[in-house]
Amino acid sequence: MLKKRIVVCLDVKEGRTTKGVKFKDNIDIGDPVEMAAEYYRQGVDELVFYDIMASATGRGPILDLISKVASQVFIPFCVGGGIGTIEDIRSTILAGAEKISLNSQAVKNPKLISQGARIFGNQCIVLGMDAARDSSMPSGYRVYINGGRTATELDAKAWALKAVELGAGEIVLNSIDADGTKTGYEIPLTKMISEAVSVPVIASGGGGTPAHLAQVLTEGKADAALIASMVHSGSYKISEIKDDLSAQGVLVR
């Protein structure tokens, strides 16, 4: 049985780490380079860096900042936001990222997934998916792009399956409804996608306590849990979360 991973997410806006609720009302919470170094010291398994304004403003990745963050962490480091071409993927990997998260750009140009997987390997290409409840969709969830601001006609489950077929080696599945609420992950969504696809699924959105992580990693069938608010606020340290999960019988790294 594979051990579960704890992933910390740094949402970055204009070079600073930011945090909002349901993708709105973001506030500045610190320097991403310093925060990355601190979470690495605390024992986080992976780090995700999202430039939340890049796609919406038509800008590419901030390579100098990515490079500074990468220099502080010696664990898998995933970068997303504004990566719209093979050259963007290449330059982001050269700046220090091990994985590339494609979200809005993958919806606009699905071939980017297959081209990226062919050139850099499936393990490098992560589908970032922002989904919200919508009873009119077959799975009950609709895919959104541009930082949750733009609804698409894509069904969450259908898009997850398509992206994996194209070559995505992992999915970061973010619930817009739960994002930043610290009230627990969207278990039905996570379980549905985890059971449907053959690649690891990282649950994102809603983590507020170790019990929430335990639930999504067991009941929700997720391979990893992404957290932000609960550590950014100082409420928990990574080691405390791992100790708590171990006590609940969840195998963690």
Side-chain angles (χ1 to χ4, degrees), residues 130-145:
D130 299 323
R133 291 181 214 124
D134 187 331
S135 59
S136 70
M137 302 305 282
S139 70
Y141 295 88
R142 183 184 292 273
V143 175
Y144 284 72
I145 59 171

Side-chain angles (χ1 to χ4, degrees), residues 1-6 45 217 222-224 250-253:
M1 190 174 173
L2 287 175
K3 291 182 176 178
K4 306 290 189 175
R5 291 171 283 150
I6 306 297
D45 299 311
L217 293 169
D223 297 273
V250 180
L251 281 176
V252 291
R253 291 193 178 174

Side-chain angles (χ1 to χ4, degrees), residues 26-75:
N26 285 68
I27 56 167
D28 183 319
I29 56 171
D31 175 6
V33 181
E34 291 172 6
M35 292 173 75
E38 174 57 26
Y39 294 132
Y40 175 66
R41 278 194 294 273
Q42 288 184 23
V44 73
D45 299 311
E46 293 189 22
L47 194 71
V48 174
F49 172 112
Y50 287 138
D51 184 332
I52 62 169
M53 294 303 291
S55 286
T57 56
R59 177 174 48 66
I62 319 173
L63 299 173
D64 59 334
L65 184 57
I66 292 164
S67 178
K68 285 175 187 166
V69 172
S71 72
Q72 299 299 311
V73 298
F74 302 93
I75 47 174

Side-chain angles (χ1 to χ4, degrees), residues 103 129-132 134 142-146 148-152 176:
N103 188 323
M129 178 162 65
D130 299 323
D134 187 331
R142 183 184 292 273
V143 175
Y144 284 72
I145 59 171
N146 297 331
R149 287 179 284 275
T150 308
T152 73
I176 294 174

Side-chain angles (χ1 to χ4, degrees), residues 13-242:
K13 181 180 180 183
E14 290 155 13
R16 300 282 293 174
T17 307
T18 181
K19 194 70 196 97
V21 177
K22 299 187 180 181
F23 288 34
K24 295 188 179 85
D25 305 323
N26 285 68
I27 56 167
D28 183 319
I29 56 171
D31 175 6
V33 181
E34 291 172 6
M35 292 173 75
E38 174 57 26
Y39 294 132
Y40 175 66
R41 278 194 294 273
Q42 288 184 23
V44 73
D45 299 311
E46 293 189 22
L47 194 71
V48 174
F49 172 112
Y50 287 138
D51 184 332
I52 62 169
M53 294 303 291
S55 286
T57 56
R59 177 174 48 66
I62 319 173
L63 299 173
D64 59 334
L65 184 57
I66 292 164
S67 178
K68 285 175 187 166
V69 172
S71 72
Q72 299 299 311
V73 298
F74 302 93
I75 47 174
F77 175 41
C78 179
V79 173
I83 299 171
T85 66
I86 290 298
E87 199 39 60
D88 286 340
I89 296 176
R90 182 176 284 112
S91 58
T92 304
I93 290 171
L94 288 172
E98 277 86 10
K99 300 179 186 181
I100 302 301
S101 178
L102 302 174
N103 188 323
S104 304
Q105 300 298 336
V107 170
K108 293 168 188 173
N109 176 20
K111 280 189 190 149
L112 191 58
I113 298 174
S114 47
Q115 290 169 341
R118 189 173 68 247
I119 297 168
F120 304 103
N122 303 68
Q123 79 288 345
C124 269
I125 305 300
V126 178
L127 177 74
M129 178 162 65
D130 299 323
R133 291 181 214 124
D134 187 331
S135 59
S136 70
M137 302 305 282
S139 70
Y141 295 88
R142 183 184 292 273
V143 175
Y144 284 72
I145 59 171
N146 297 331
R149 287 179 284 275
T150 308
T152 73
E153 290 307 308
L154 293 172
D155 175 75
K157 183 177 175 182
W159 176 228
L161 288 164
K162 178 69 176 170
V164 171
E165 186 188 315
L166 287 168
E170 190 167 65
I171 295 174
V172 174
L173 176 62
N174 192 50
S175 162
I176 294 174
D177 301 298
D179 180 76
T181 62
K182 296 192 275 189
T183 54
Y185 294 86
E186 183 80 2
I187 302 297
L189 170 66
T190 309
K191 185 181 180 189
M192 174 180 65
I193 301 297
S194 296
E195 289 180 338
V197 300
S198 56
V199 301
V201 172
I202 300 175
S204 170
T209 68
H212 293 152
L213 277 76
Q215 184 186 26
V216 83
L217 293 169
T218 53
E219 200 182 314
K221 309 280 183 79
D223 297 273
L226 184 146
I227 53 176
S229 304
M230 63 188 289
V231 285
H232 294 341
S233 64
S235 303
Y236 294 94
K237 287 207 162 27
I238 304 294
S239 56
E240 294 169 349
I241 296 167
K242 287 189 172 185

